[in-house]
Amino acid sequence: QVQLVESGGGSVQAGDSLRLSCAASGRTFSRYAMAWFRQPPGKEREFVAAINWSGDYTYVADSVKGRFTISRDSAKNSAYLQMDSLKPEDTAVYYCAADAAPVSVVAGTYGLDGMDYWGKGTLVTVSS
């Protein structure tokens, strides 16, 4: 059974940092693009960041550029999202996802609903 399990969410103050982790099991994702999406309360899901299978290429949404960093450790079948300088508008459920498509495709509108595998999400709450 293929699973993506997110962890590391929580409640923090504005300006704090969090590191989300995504642990994959059930298959090897070394050739898959990995991505993070988020869904703020009452809003639609949005793209946050994506990384290609080798870790050489990353895409980051303009809203989090300079504050969030995506990385992966293929040996551990895991991906990470380092979130710094958090803002109240970063409050959302964060989802990890994986797909065999090129990372440039994953970072577009395709990724919002088309990813092969999704985690169940982890809640991040940022208070002012």
Side-chain angles (χ1 to χ4, degrees):
Q1 181 181 2
V2 177
Q3 278 191 314
L4 297 177
V5 179
E6 303 93 339
S7 61
S11 296
V12 297
Q13 298 287 320
D16 286 350
S17 297
L18 278 177
R19 188 188 192 219
L20 303 184
S21 298
C22 172
S25 62
R27 70 160 298 141
T28 299
F29 286 89
S30 59
R31 293 289 180 174
Y32 276 59
M34 303 289 291
W36 289 92
F37 297 82
R38 69 185 182 185
Q39 187 163 16
K43 297 183 179 180
E44 295 185 350
R45 184 159 55 197
E46 60 188 33
F47 167 78
V48 177
I51 188 167
N52 77 322
W53 68 272
S54 66
D56 292 335
Y57 297 97
T58 61
Y59 289 78
V60 181
D62 289 342
S63 59
V64 303
K65 195 166 291 183
R67 300 187 298 119
F68 289 14
T69 304
I70 186 171
S71 62
R72 69 186 297 164
D73 186 336
S74 294
K76 295 183 178 180
N77 224 17
S78 296
Y80 308 96
L81 185 68
Q82 177 66 41
M83 305 187 295
D84 298 320
S85 302
L86 282 161
K87 303 176 180 180
E89 51 263 44
D90 295 320
T91 294
V93 177
Y94 284 73
Y95 297 92
C96 174
D99 198 278
V103 67
S104 58
V105 174
V106 164
T109 55
Y110 166 86
L112 292 174
D113 293 304
M115 302 296 282
D116 290 336
Y117 302 101
W118 289 91
K120 293 184 178 180
T122 185
L123 177 62
V124 173
T125 303
V126 185
S127 56
S128 57

